[in-house]
Amino acid sequence: MELLAPAGSPEAVRAAVCAGADAVYLGYGAFNARRNAKNFTRDELAQAVSYCHLEGVKVYLTLNTLVGDRELPAAAQTAVEADELGVDAVLVQDWGLFALLREALPDLPLHASTQMSLFTSGG
């Protein structure tokens, strides 16, 4: 079992870690459902990943919005940047983005967001 906590700011990351979270999820870039939270800058994300990993806590990036065809390259670039900074996984809602990230970043774990839905009887 994993205690996963939202972290809408660097202060919230520290609070979640101090409270015993095993992992935090946070927004970076424009493609997340945490738009009302204070999303992280590149430097803040790098610092959050470094701090969390020193404390044995995982960091999950939320890329959990529906993405239009023209937005796919930018959303994928966000994931590439987050992967380079060391995030442990990405939470995804959009099936198209999921497929693109699986190809572009095959070693980066992808998790189904709570916003993801099934739309076929096979699903």
Side-chain angles (χ1 to χ4, degrees):
M1 189 170 317
E2 177 180 74
L3 177 58
L4 175 62
S9 68
E11 297 79 20
V13 168
R14 287 189 292 280
V17 170
C18 289
D22 299 305
V24 297
Y25 63 93
L26 50 81
Y28 166 69
F31 302 101
N32 67 82
R34 301 193 49 76
R35 289 183 180 169
N36 293 330
K38 180 187 178 293
N39 287 318
F40 287 66
T41 65
R42 184 178 175 87
D43 288 342
E44 289 171 336
L45 177 57
Q47 291 171 10
V49 169
S50 177
Y51 170 69
C52 285
H53 287 174
L54 283 172
E55 297 295 327
V57 174
K58 294 179 181 175
V59 178
Y60 301 148
L61 172 69
T62 57
L63 282 180
N64 57 343
T65 60
L66 295 175
V67 180
D69 291 345
R70 287 178 280 198
E71 297 173 312
L72 279 172
Q77 182 58 38
T78 299
V80 166
E81 291 172 12
D83 183 48
E84 290 170 350
L85 294 174
V87 298
D88 297 286
V90 176
L91 306 174
V92 181
Q93 174 186 4
D94 188 281
W95 281 101
L97 180 59
F98 188 95
L100 179 63
L101 294 180
R102 182 53 48 236
E103 284 184 30
L105 298 164
D107 296 328
L108 179 63
L110 301 177
H111 296 191
S113 169
T114 57
Q115 287 89 359
M116 187 176 265
S117 62
L118 300 174
F119 48 88
T120 66
S121 60

